[in-house]
Amino acid sequence: MCRPIPVQRKGGRVPTGQPQAPPYAWNPYRSIHFVPASRPDWVGKADAAGADAIVIDLEDSVPPNQRAAARRQIKTMLSDGSALRADLWVRTLDVDNAEFEDDLAAVVHEGLTGVLLPKTESAAQVVAASSRLLHFESMRDLAPASTALIVSPESPAAIRDLGDILRADRRVVGVGFAGADGGDLCNALGISQSRDRREVLYLRSRVQFEAVLAGCRQIIESVWVDLNDPDGFAADCQLSRRMGYTGRGTIHPDQITAANAVYGPGPQQIADARALLTAYREAAAAGQGAVRHRGRMIDAAMAEGAERFLKQLGALDAGV
């Protein structure tokens, strides 16, 4: 599992009577792999492939007539999850679906890290979901508000109101960009994507911007549906990472390795951050507010960013 680190959320409000959520703490996931709830045998394969998180999907990948049977398997899958390296999440149906309550009754058990909430349209839906989660946590003797939420805005209105949605409840630790070609968001906007996905550049930027403002730890890029184009997937991961996304939804084990390589900080990035921080601190000790380092002018803001990066990874040496 991802190594815990301190996290501070901003601006969240808690439904009346609900205990304040604990500070959810883990490194951002690099790969978030979706597995149909009807295929429990795929969970172990995703874990062996190195997925940081596995989302057991009760929504799009399970036919309606198989959902009841899939729910019955969830508890076993969560119990078996103690042997996994990855964190386990469940994507339920949306809050307004008549079967949402059935989903929560089936999935809120020990071993569940959180719920991925699809088709999140409003802050009120997040508050309602949090309230129902608290009910089932109480029934199962789980710590109050111990189940985290990642929201998925899938309509133009949800993108417009995303800031309010992300601040609606302290359970919300992340957002998934639902920008896959042919998905609900693109269909609602009449968007057909080219290979470089330039048509959704604004939407990707807007989601990342609102997530950073809200203090979200997990900013998850949409799945890449063309399994015959691994080069396109790798290039899109690189662009996504440069845009500030922290991880990627994956739908095939082969995508997990590529996502982990792109979104995870490598040894060189860590070494560069340490060198920058050392150079700035030496300059500051000599009374300089900025210094040239490897051909670039660095200042306090860059040093603070490097220090924050290293702290998040637990890679800040005492002597740096």
Side-chain angles (χ1 to χ4, degrees):
M1 292 189 179
C2 299
R3 187 187 53 76
I5 55 174
V7 176
Q8 291 186 353
R9 301 276 295 124
K10 299 178 181 178
R13 64 176 182 273
V14 181
T16 302
Q18 177 172 319
Q20 180 169 311
Y24 304 107
W26 51 74
N27 284 331
Y29 299 131
R30 302 165 299 170
S31 50
I32 303 91
H33 191 76
F34 288 81
V35 171
S38 55
R39 293 302 306 263
D41 54 310
W42 288 3
V43 171
K45 293 178 181 178
D47 189 63
D52 287 340
I54 297 171
V55 178
I56 303 168
D57 188 18
L58 276 169
E59 197 210 15
D60 288 344
S61 64
V62 178
N65 63 355
Q66 295 182 23
R67 285 195 183 116
R71 289 187 191 103
R72 289 193 291 270
Q73 298 184 62
I74 291 282
K75 185 175 181 180
T76 299
M77 295 166 74
L78 293 173
S79 298
D80 293 343
S82 59
L84 301 178
R85 184 194 60 84
D87 287 343
L88 288 180
W89 291 68
V90 172
R91 178 164 71 171
T92 62
L93 296 171
D94 64 273
V95 177
D96 293 335
N97 192 292
E99 296 183 45
F100 177 68
E101 191 89 354
D102 295 333
D103 283 356
L104 292 191
V107 308
V108 180
H109 293 282
E110 187 175 355
L112 179 70
T113 299
V115 167
L116 194 156
L117 203 60
K119 298 180 175 63
T120 313
E121 294 291 311
S122 68
Q125 288 180 326
V126 175
V127 172
S130 183
S131 176
R132 298 315 298 155
L133 282 168
L134 184 65
H135 167 73
F136 286 106
E137 287 166 345
S138 177
M139 287 181 59
R140 307 280 156 71
D141 292 325
L142 300 174
S146 57
T147 311
L149 283 172
I150 292 176
V151 300
S152 179
E154 301 179 31
S155 73
I159 298 295
R160 179 195 64 201
D161 299 334
L162 184 55
D164 291 338
I165 290 170
L166 295 176
R167 293 178 178 85
D169 192 273
R170 289 180 61 86
R171 292 180 189 266
V172 178
V173 297
V175 57
F177 174 49
D181 194 23
D184 289 343
L185 180 59
C186 287
N187 289 343
L189 291 166
I191 292 174
S192 177
Q193 296 182 40
S194 52
R195 187 171 184 259
D196 65 8
R197 304 183 71 204
R198 69 184 70 181
E199 298 82 5
V200 294
L201 181 60
Y202 166 74
L203 297 172
R204 295 169 91 174
S205 298
R206 175 68 182 270
V207 168
Q208 190 273 346
F209 176 78
E210 295 290 354
V212 170
L213 281 183
C216 291
R217 295 287 298 153
Q218 312 282 341
I219 313 175
I220 301 166
E221 181 61 84
S222 59
V223 299
W224 178 271
V225 297
D226 188 352
L227 299 180
N228 293 322
D229 187 11
D231 291 339
F233 174 73
D236 195 66
C237 285
Q238 292 284 356
L239 173 60
S240 167
R241 184 68 185 92
R242 293 195 298 271
M243 291 177 66
Y245 279 78
T246 61
R248 181 108 205 191
T250 60
I251 55 175
H252 190 281
D254 290 346
Q255 295 178 333
I256 294 172
T257 300
N260 286 351
V262 171
Y263 293 98
Q268 189 59 53
Q269 289 175 281
I270 295 173
D272 289 346
R274 284 175 172 160
L276 186 153
L277 188 56
T278 297
Y280 176 78
R281 288 181 173 176
E282 289 175 351
Q288 300 176 13
V291 64
R292 182 168 176 161
H293 172 67
R294 296 180 179 176
R296 298 178 61 203
M297 190 61 67
I298 62 173
D299 58 14
M302 295 178 184
E304 289 172 4
E307 183 174 7
R308 183 167 56 251
F309 169 75
L310 292 170
K311 282 182 177 178
Q312 288 175 348
L313 296 173
L316 184 64
D317 293 338
V320 174

